[in-house]
Amino acid sequence: MQIKEDTLNYLAHLGRIELEAQESKILSGQLKDILDFIDQLKKVDIKDVSATSHILSISNVLRDDLSGESLTREDALKNAPVKEGNFFVVPKVIE
Amino acid sequence: MELNALTAHQLLKEIAAGGSGSRDIVSGLVARNKQLNQRVKGYVRLDDSGESLIDDRSSGSGVLKGIPISVKDNICTKGLNTECCSQILQGFKPPYDATVIRKLKQAGVCVFGAKTNMDEFAFGSSTENSCFGPTSNPWNLECVPGGSSGGSAAVVASDQAVWALGSDTGGSIRQPASFCGVVGMKPTYGRVSRYGLIAFASSLDQIGPITKDTRDCAILMNAISGHDPLDSTSVDIEVPDFTESLTGDIKGLKIGIPKEYFVEGLDKEVKAVIEEAMEKLKSLGAKCLPVSLPHTEYAVPVYYIIATAEASSNLARFDGVQYGLRNKDLKQGLIDMYKRTRQEGFGQEAKRRIILGTFVLSHGYYDAYYLRALKVRTLIKQDFDRAFRDVDCLITPTSPTPAFRIGERIKDPLKMYLSDIFTISANLSGIPAISVPAGFTRKGLPVGLQILSEPFTEGMLLRVAHAFEQNTPWHKEKPKL
């Protein structure tokens, strides 16, 4: 299956990646090969088969709502590429 | 033998006898790194001196006191760079230790500061997708060490490490262990905490040991296994002493040989090595029976839907705000900043997987791809459930080929994906699996034997692997460097 250029651009937007024209071209060919390969799954009879999103039978692991130790503000901010005072800095969001 | 060539259990004996201490062991490794790291390139961010900060802030009296460990670059080590070999995590120093690291420090293990090389975010089967460049296979420097834990496997094989931690999402511990002639285990999903492992595909990832022999594998499994409240998928089940499984006795065990693993595409020399291994296991008293895992051929396509879907979601956190790289163009808006940061920071394979994962989850394609893959995953798991009704474990080749040349598959992603054809099913089914050295090709490249068993029976894997190892010479062979 060939992914059209506008679809690829839309996917890149959803995935928040900027693609250069050359990158898009290579990627589009590779994705076609991969999707053609994946298409063999269409042969499998999946009628009445349930989906496995997780192999363990555990679900909804809960804990008591108690306060405990957590990262200090300094530690949480230590790796930020841009920070000011007690905040992460991001580009202006509101016009 | 030099200290750096010994296993952890041999070193523990040395230490107990008062022969050497932790410092001697570390200086042995440093000397070896100085001699070899520029050629093997298994460690990243290691300068020419071969020395790296050792983190030995441990409680002090654990059973593994004085033994260093080398750690893959995607496992968080407090204050020590952990970058997943990606530019987007440049300079990241985790503010906390992964649970496995905390447990190891409590046991007295010291963490080697330079981390081991890997494919960026564990995306790959050759360690070529690293922003630091590829690692070489110690048995032939022109070949890949496998991947994605190629750095960990290479430093263990070249005696630049006592032992190491890797992570396995589709074979990333077992395949490099096979290519480098060492032991590698992917534990049952949920056996080892994933807290502090930078996530690739959360329903498949497991941390596990890469070691010089099966006894070290058992010792390291004892140290890292167990329930962890910080990982909601960690299972609260008793952890046996895995060294007790090293009995050497496999008489009467029923071993299944899945016929779907011995088909076209399997290298002739690899096939011959595995058939010889089968004969060895029979001579030790095991019974080999043919079994069938009919959905085997679908494992790779299922994996590349599920793994990329989960990866595209997990990698959303790398946005240039909290850590790592940030595109510094000040005039852009928020979304543009995300896009440019991610364009600059991610390598080609990461971008490919994010796009593919986004596609299979997107409106209009979700049912046809993602949901279908989850259903076929059920069928693959049921194949194993059925097989384990008749046999105690299964044996297969770990990889269809020995190590391939650097550059040989990197331009063809699909061909690279097929490198994992024999290892992926264990991740999709959550079952444990181990790779042990089983012989060599005529050109001197190692070949690994994979053993698989039911969930939470790593002891069974170790029992069979140990009996095989103790009755063959392969684990004692060392690359000539």
Side-chain angles (χ1 to χ4, degrees):
Chain A
M1 180 179 154
Q2 184 80 47
I3 297 186
K4 289 189 196 120
E5 200 187 328
D6 55 340
T7 311
L8 187 62
N9 290 337
Y10 176 61
L11 292 171
H13 169 70
L14 287 178
R16 301 290 186 261
I17 291 176
E18 190 82 44
L19 291 176
E20 282 166 15
Q22 186 61 18
E23 271 183 311
S24 299
K25 211 180 143 199
I26 297 171
L27 205 55
S28 143
Q30 289 170 336
L31 288 175
K32 182 185 182 306
D33 290 349
I34 296 168
L35 288 173
D36 287 348
F37 173 73
I38 282 175
D39 272 345
Q40 62 178 294
L41 291 183
K42 289 187 180 146
K43 287 191 293 187
V44 189
D45 181 9
I46 51 165
K47 197 170 167 275
D48 302 328
V49 177
S50 60
T52 297
S53 51
H54 219 273
I55 58 103
L56 300 172
S57 50
I58 51 172
S59 62
N60 295 342
V61 179
L62 303 174
R63 63 166 173 79
D64 294 334
D65 187 16
L66 299 169
S67 62
E69 247 182 79
S70 58
L71 287 184
T72 63
R73 191 178 288 152
E74 290 73 31
D75 276 346
L77 282 163
K78 204 177 261 172
N79 283 290
V82 190
K83 60 193 158 190
E84 208 178 293
N86 290 330
F87 299 98
F88 294 102
V89 175
V90 295
K92 198 169 137 188
V93 179
I94 303 162
E95 291 301 319
Chain B
M1 215 189 294
E2 301 283 336
L3 282 181
N4 61 288
L6 299 181
T7 60
H9 61 88
Q10 287 167 332
L11 288 170
L12 286 167
K13 263 191 204 155
E14 280 274 320
I15 294 170
S20 346
S22 184
R23 266 191 213 157
D24 304 318
I25 300 169
V26 170
S27 56
L29 291 174
V30 168
R32 185 76 173 164
N33 293 343
K34 193 176 171 185
Q35 181 200 351
L36 285 181
N37 196 53
Q38 282 189 332
R39 289 162 67 202
V40 177
K41 300 177 289 281
Y43 288 108
V44 295
R45 299 181 299 271
L46 182 68
D47 69 22
D48 296 346
S49 71
E51 280 183 61
S52 187
L53 181 74
I54 297 279
D55 190 351
D56 57 0
R57 289 167 292 179
S58 65
S59 61
S61 56
V63 291
L64 301 175
K65 180 77 187 154
I67 307 293
I69 194 159
S70 301
V71 179
K72 189 175 178 180
D73 203 28
N74 60 352
I75 299 173
C76 286
T77 44
K78 188 173 180 175
L80 296 174
N81 286 47
T82 302
E83 302 174 358
C84 288
C85 292
S86 176
Q87 284 182 33
I88 210 160
L89 263 180
Q90 224 171 52
F92 177 60
K93 288 186 171 64
Y96 63 94
D97 274 326
T99 294
V100 289
I101 300 296
R102 181 179 56 77
K103 281 174 166 258
L104 286 169
K105 284 183 180 174
Q106 274 167 4
V109 170
C110 52
V111 175
F112 198 69
K115 307 289 276 287
T116 58
N117 200 13
M118 57 186 279
D119 288 292
E120 179 180 15
F121 287 104
F123 297 157
S125 315
S126 68
T127 315
E128 290 169 287
N129 294 325
S130 160
C131 75
F132 298 102
T135 292
S136 283
N137 190 313
W139 294 89
N140 179 341
L141 297 176
E142 286 172 12
C143 289
V144 301
S148 65
S149 313
S152 288
V155 297
V156 173
S158 60
D159 290 331
Q160 288 176 267
V162 177
W163 52 11
L165 288 178
S167 68
D168 191 316
T169 306
S172 282
I173 287 174
R174 291 160 286 154
Q175 184 253 25
S178 166
F179 280 15
C180 291
V182 291
V183 175
M185 179 189 276
K186 181 201 92 75
T188 311
Y189 184 84
R191 175 65 99 184
V192 176
S193 169
R194 293 185 295 113
Y195 180 72
L197 170 67
I198 298 175
F200 158 10
S202 308
S203 81
L204 306 166
D205 297 341
Q206 268 292 282
I207 295 171
I210 295 182
T211 60
K212 292 175 189 176
D213 69 8
T214 50
R215 182 164 297 276
D216 272 9
C217 183
I219 293 170
L220 196 44
M221 278 298 292
N222 281 352
I224 63 174
S225 299
H227 178 241
D228 178 15
L230 296 175
D231 171 4
S232 62
T233 61
S234 142
V235 177
D236 197 358
I237 185 172
E238 201 194 329
V239 180
D241 177 354
F242 290 112
T243 61
E244 285 179 3
S245 299
L246 310 174
T247 58
D249 176 19
I250 56 165
K251 272 192 202 80
L253 276 191
K254 284 190 262 178
I255 298 178
I257 317 287
K259 66 175 186 203
E260 290 81 4
Y261 284 64
F262 295 84
V263 290
E264 205 190 338
L266 175 61
D267 180 275
K268 274 186 196 142
E269 287 190 81
V270 172
K271 185 166 180 249
V273 165
I274 301 305
E275 281 169 351
E276 205 177 309
M278 222 183 292
E279 291 309 312
K280 175 55 80 179
L281 291 166
K282 277 190 212 161
S283 77
L284 296 170
K287 283 186 200 113
C288 290
L289 311 165
V291 296
S292 175
L293 302 168
H295 296 90
T296 297
E297 63 176 306
Y298 303 116
V300 177
V302 166
Y303 176 82
Y304 278 93
I305 291 173
I306 294 173
T308 57
E310 293 186 18
S312 70
S313 162
N314 275 324
L315 266 58
R317 59 171 62 84
F318 303 104
D319 60 0
V321 176
Q322 296 178 74
Y323 25 63
L325 189 79
R326 163 80 159 260
N327 183 285
K328 294 276 167 16
D329 182 356
L330 293 171
K331 278 176 279 176
Q332 58 191 345
L334 184 65
I335 302 278
D336 283 332
M337 187 279 282
Y338 292 156
K339 287 185 176 177
R340 288 186 205 179
T341 297
R342 288 159 68 82
Q343 178 193 24
E344 216 180 307
F346 287 132
Q348 286 309 311
E349 185 61 29
K351 289 178 189 168
R352 193 151 47 231
R353 295 202 190 193
I354 290 170
I355 301 274
L356 183 60
T358 305
F359 173 73
V360 298
L361 290 174
S362 64
H363 182 71
Y365 298 102
Y366 181 93
D367 284 3
Y369 288 94
Y370 186 65
L371 191 61
R372 176 169 283 266
L374 294 183
K375 291 184 174 179
V376 183
R377 183 180 186 178
T378 305
L379 296 172
I380 291 170
K381 186 174 178 293
Q382 287 171 351
D383 281 354
F384 282 108
D385 293 344
R386 218 170 290 124
F388 288 131
R389 276 185 222 145
D390 301 324
V391 296
D392 298 298
C393 65
L394 302 168
I395 61 168
T396 76
T398 306
S399 171
T401 67
F404 44 91
R405 289 188 170 264
I406 293 173
E408 192 181 307
R409 297 186 190 175
I410 196 73
K411 290 231 167 69
D412 185 349
L414 192 54
K415 201 167 179 196
M416 187 71 90
Y417 295 173
L418 290 167
S419 310
D420 301 329
I421 193 161
F422 295 158
T423 44
I424 276 173
S425 298
N427 301 79
L428 292 172
S429 317
I431 63 174
I434 194 171
S435 178
V436 276
F440 289 85
T441 62
R442 276 192 307 272
K443 285 185 179 160
L445 289 170
V447 175
L449 170 73
Q450 179 175 236
I451 311 167
L452 310 103
S453 66
E454 285 183 276
F456 300 103
T457 62
E458 290 87 353
M460 171 63 70
L461 300 180
L462 286 161
R463 183 176 159 197
V464 178
H466 179 73
F468 178 77
E469 169 192 89
Q470 294 304 305
N471 289 284
T472 51
W474 314 119
H475 67 293
K476 289 184 191 144
E477 300 280 334
K478 299 272 187 188
K480 290 175 188 68
L481 282 156

